[in-house]
Amino acid sequence: MFSTTLLLQALLLVPVWGHYYVAVNGNDSGSGSATAPFRTFERAQAAARRSTKGMNSDLYVYVGPGTYYLNEPLKFTSKDSGQNGHRVIWQAQDMTKGANISGGVPITNWKASSVRKGIYEAQAPAFTTRHFYADQAHAQRARAQVQRSWVKETATGLQVVNDSAKYILTMSGLEHAEFHAHNSFTSRYNPVTGASNNTIVMAQPAWNNNLIGYDTFNNPYVDHGLYVENALSLLTDPNEWYLDPASHTMYYMPPSGLDPNDMYLVLAKLETLLLVGGTYDQPVHDLTFRGFNYMHTTWNYMSTDVGYVDQQTGGYIGINKTYTNFDSSRPFWWQVPGSIQVSAARNILFQNGSIVALMGGFGIGNDPNAHSTGVGLGASDVEISGMLLHQTGANAITIGGIQANAHHPSDPRMLNQNTRVLENIFTDLAYTIDSAVPIFASYAKDTYIVHNDVVNVPYSGICYGYGWGSNDAGGSPEYQLRGLYNYQPVYNTPTTMQGGRISANLIYNVGTRHSDDGGIYTLSASPNTTLDDNYIKSTQGFGYYLDEGSSFYYVNNSVLDTSSEWLHRNEQPTYTTGNNTIANCASNFASSDSHNQYNDTIVNSAQWTSYQTMSPKQKSVVYLAGVPPDQRGRRPYSIDQGPF
Ligand SMILES: *[C@@H]1O[C@H](CO)[C@@H](O)[C@H](O)[C@H]1NC(C)=O
Ligand SMILES: *[C@@H]1O[C@H](CO)[C@@H](O)[C@H](O)[C@H]1NC(C)=O
Ligand SMILES: *[C@@H]1O[C@H](CO)[C@@H](O)[C@H](O)[C@H]1NC(C)=O
Ligand SMILES: *[C@@H]1O[C@H](CO)[C@@H](O)[C@H](O)[C@H]1NC(C)=O
Ligand SMILES: *[C@@H]1O[C@H](CO)[C@@H](O)[C@H](O)[C@H]1NC(C)=O
Ligand SMILES: *[C@@H]1O[C@H](CO)[C@@H](O)[C@H](O)[C@H]1NC(C)=O
Ligand SMILES: *[C@@H]1O[C@H](CO)[C@@H](O)[C@H](O)[C@H]1NC(C)=O
Ligand SMILES: *[C@@H]1O[C@H](CO)[C@@H](O)[C@H](O)[C@H]1NC(C)=O
Ligand SMILES: *[C@@H]1O[C@H](CO)[C@@H](O)[C@H](O)[C@H]1NC(C)=O
Ligand SMILES: *[C@@H]1O[C@H](CO)[C@@H](O)[C@H](O)[C@H]1NC(C)=O
């Protein structure tokens, strides 16, 4: 007698066309059916590739619950594309649980260490890393604060001028230590090479380059703290860690009362998890990733003698070269790579799930230096929606590049366009580079950032635009004065930036650890770009901050509740900031700035004092901002959006 269950199982051993399964207890020798799932993404990918020939409906790869620890990044090329207008959909089999993709290695078998009371140690595998995650949050590299007055900048490093810093000169493992300067809008790292003549000697060219330009290492506009990091003797506080580079012994001080053997402790091994990258001739297309949690990456380049010479929102001096003129470096800044990279690609969707306990976030069409495929830019119709993005080390999403091919593509296929960032929650992020932001969109066309929550973040909420006006048609008189055009052309055509829409976002409590920031911060010209219906509340910085070169924006229908100017514009004379139209904005803070010379049009701005006295339109902006009301249950915090 056949039972129907057995019959069904027998049938399911052979995959139904277009449906493959992966499970943590699967086996790559299986058929990939629901009852004989594969073990690895790579095996499923090979099966899916064969099936896309002549496909006439969408093809699904279902990934069962659990955590998939990768040995190498997953690479999707044009061969993995959907065909004939259909998509290849990789999705969590159980969308309520999701599926985890990890680039780390769990560290177990912790024993009390003899180094110091409260420290535990464990053996780690042999690889280098800068990131260790404790219960899905960034653990802190062992560190100690150094008062700026204790050290004096010299050409080779920091001379110790106060006995309080003397211990650093003889600290064991000093050659692996780093200094980290938390400045106004930069977060800079410089590796140490040793000590000599009462001076902590810094790696070059990082030190030279960290001393030129603006908000520099030892001459910040605002001092948010200087730290020495990464030596065992600095491990004195709960949640700090240190990895001995020779013995690969991990040291960790858990929060008081916790046994590390009861915690989920993961050392990050990979720098990227997912590469979606074709070529301009053969882009990758029509792929969906749905319901995944991306976790556990690192980024080691900043440990080299290049350091991390931060400029703004993930742009840094990445070329291994000693610059004598700061502006000569500007056209060649690099970008911090994402853990999930998309370039030379179209119609790629990331829906639901999360990024958590990662270094880089999403890199969408960044410059080639930030893509492991070596092919940057060229991303179109990429969507990131319905996700929770938190516990990153850097920007959660970086859209577009910052070098010449990003703003003036030498090949039209390099254009980045139609990125959509919809209905996501961004919170609690930028732990390594704390000047980083939830969303940074630079040179790209038609970027949509709509109905997102941006809550509890260290610097600006959303940054849109780059280049300080210097790459706009006709150039910038200010950058002419600074000498930039000795190192790059004055362009006579507009950049790729236009048609942006940053709308209906809730931006709450930003600027918690840095300065000179805005709820929404813009740079350079972007015709036909609208910033509207946003609710910007309780930010430490400005509401809307239209910085150098911002022009042809519409700023409409927004409600602002800020502790300083709701609208702030900035530039040296001669001005290229201007020609903006700011309409129907209501603020609790009476004034915008007084830059009337900017030739902006400001109409119908209003002051409000309480929810009760708001107009119905203003109330509706407040209530509707952020993720839609039916999705607010997934917020990890509560926000008062009024008694409406
Ligand atoms: C996977 O399946 C093959 C073939 O049936 C078998 O030899 C192998 O032991 C299985 N591997 C695991 C890990 O179960
Ligand atoms: C993903 O990892 C987290 C942290 O370990 C865990 O709580 C969660 O259950 C995992 N999700 C799945 C689908 O296994
Ligand atoms: C050294 O630093 C400490 C703490 O900041 C301070 O109290 C002391 O006056 C400093 N000593 C000198 C000689 O500057
Ligand atoms: C040691 O440092 C002092 C004070 O900065 C300086 O005057 C002197 O030239 C240095 N000596 C050497 C050998 O570098
Ligand atoms: C930088 O250049 C120096 C000298 O050529 C070289 O020794 C070093 O390895 C380079 N560092 C990086 C990160 O490329
Ligand atoms: C996925 O995200 C969308 C928002 O973009 C949301 O409407 C939908 O309910 C989410 N699905 C699940 C299963 O969470
Ligand atoms: C302006 O942008 C909107 C979308 O934001 C688009 O529909 C419209 O075509 C654009 N207009 C021009 C003139 O580019
Ligand atoms: C913003 O204001 C401009 C100028 O008043 C108007 O043309 C545009 O339609 C408005 N956009 C939105 C989304 O409100
Ligand atoms: C404003 O637009 C006009 C006309 O396009 C242009 O001549 C002027 O330079 C612009 N001013 C600013 C500050 O952008
Ligand atoms: C001022 O702005 C208006 C509207 O955008 C524009 O037509 C005009 O050319 C601008 N004038 C200057 C001097 O920038």
Side-chain angles (χ1 to χ4, degrees), residues 95 351-352 383 385-387 422-423 631 634:
M95 282 294 287
Q351 299 174 326
N352 308 114
E383 174 183 306
S385 64
M387 294 191 73
L422 314 173
E423 302 181 3
Q631 292 185 42
R634 64 186 178 94

Side-chain angles (χ1 to χ4, degrees), residues 501 503 530 532-533 554-557 581 583:
R501 178 106 194 252
S503 177
T530 306
D532 67 279
D533 291 87
Y554 292 114
V555 181
N556 304 8
N557 303 337
T581 306

Side-chain angles (χ1 to χ4, degrees), residues 15-33:
V16 179
W17 187 91
H19 293 260
Y20 292 104
Y21 293 80
V22 177
V24 277
N25 58 1
N27 186 326
D28 281 352
S29 307
S31 64
S33 69

